[in-house]
Amino acid sequence: LTSLMDPVLLQRAAELGNAEAQYVLGAALLTGQGIEKDLPRAVDLFRCAAEQNHAGAMCNLGVLHAQGLGVEKDEEMAKSFYERSVELEDPNGFFNLALVYAQGRDKDFAKAAQLARLAQLGGHQQAEELLESLPGQDEYILCRLRALQNRTADLIEDLRANSTASAQQNLAKLAKRLEELRHEMASRKEKA
C-alpha cells in the first residue's frame, strides 16, 4: 500500500463493496506491498471486484489462473478473464490476451498483433516489444523504422536550430531505438 492510503479505510471500503478498494487491497495482498501477503484473500477480493466489472481485477484473475497462483491452473479460464477485461478496454487485458495468442496452444499471430496494437494504443509499455517479436510483423517494423527516421530528421533540424540539451537527449534515444530496429530487421532476414 502506498503511504497515501490508509489501510483501515481501504479495508473498510473493500468490505463495503467498493470494487476499486477491493482491487487495490487485493493487489497489495498479492504482492505483499505494505501488507502481509495473503494469496487466498487477494483472490477473493479480485473475484468480488471482477463481479462488479473491474477490468484490472479480471485481468489479475486471468494471470493467477494462467500461473496457477492461489487458484487451479487453467489456461481457458485465464483467457476468459482476459477477454472480459478486453471488453472493458483494459490495456493489460489486451496485452495478456495477445500473449495467449502469441504463445498459447492455438497460436494466431495476426490476432496477437491486433491485440498488442490495441494494448499499445492504451499505453501498455511492453506492447511494442511484443509486436516486434511476432512473426509476420516486418511491415509494422518497417513502418516504425520510417516513423523513427522521420522523427530523427525533425530532431536533427531542431538540434541545428536550437542546439538544446533536450533535443540532443531525444536524438540519442531515437538513434538508439533506430539501431535496435535495424538489428531486429537484419536478424529477421537472417532467419528467413
Side-chain angles (χ1 to χ4, degrees):
L1 297 172
T2 68
S3 60
L4 297 176
M5 288 186 217
D6 181 339
V8 174
L9 290 177
L10 186 62
Q11 174 66 36
R12 183 71 181 129
E15 289 170 0
L16 291 172
N18 181 284
E20 184 65 19
Q22 291 167 337
Y23 169 74
V24 170
L25 185 56
L29 290 165
L30 175 66
T31 62
Q33 184 178 2
I35 193 169
E36 187 175 334
K37 281 186 179 185
D38 186 343
L39 190 54
R41 184 134 182 273
V43 170
D44 288 342
L45 286 165
F46 288 145
R47 284 187 178 135
C48 289
E51 287 173 6
Q52 298 179 70
N53 288 326
H54 192 287
M58 290 178 197
C59 192
N60 281 359
L61 284 169
V63 171
L64 294 174
H65 279 283
Q67 297 177 2
L69 293 173
V71 294
E72 186 175 327
K73 185 173 182 167
D74 185 338
E75 292 179 12
E76 286 304 312
M77 182 68 75
K79 183 179 176 186
S80 174
F81 277 114
Y82 296 149
E83 288 170 340
R84 288 176 58 199
S85 172
V86 161
E87 289 172 8
L88 298 170
E89 300 184 11
D90 179 49
N92 290 319
F94 284 119
F95 180 78
N96 288 334
L97 191 55
L99 286 175
V100 168
Y101 284 108
Q103 302 169 351
R105 281 179 287 158
D106 302 320
K107 289 182 177 47
D108 183 339
F109 296 123
K111 182 81 169 170
Q114 177 187 24
L115 290 161
R117 282 191 190 100
L118 291 169
Q120 183 182 35
L121 288 173
H124 196 285
Q125 298 298 311
Q126 296 169 305
E128 184 174 334
E129 184 178 324
L130 174 60
L131 273 168
E132 292 172 4
S133 72
L134 293 172
Q137 295 303 304
D138 292 345
E139 187 59 38
Y140 170 78
I141 293 171
L142 286 173
C143 180
R144 292 289 301 142
L145 191 56
R146 284 191 288 275
L148 284 171
Q149 286 172 328
N150 291 339
R151 182 75 176 120
T152 302
D154 291 345
L155 283 172
I156 288 171
E157 287 304 314
D158 183 41
L159 185 60
R160 285 185 184 141
N162 301 316
S163 188
T164 66
S166 67
Q168 292 173 354
Q169 290 171 345
N170 288 334
L171 182 59
K173 287 178 190 176
L174 280 173
K176 179 182 176 193
R177 187 70 185 121
L178 190 58
E179 192 59 31
E180 289 171 357
L181 283 172
R182 284 186 183 145
H183 286 296
E184 177 69 22
M185 286 301 295
S187 172
R188 286 177 182 262
K189 286 180 182 177
E190 288 174 12
K191 290 178 185 178

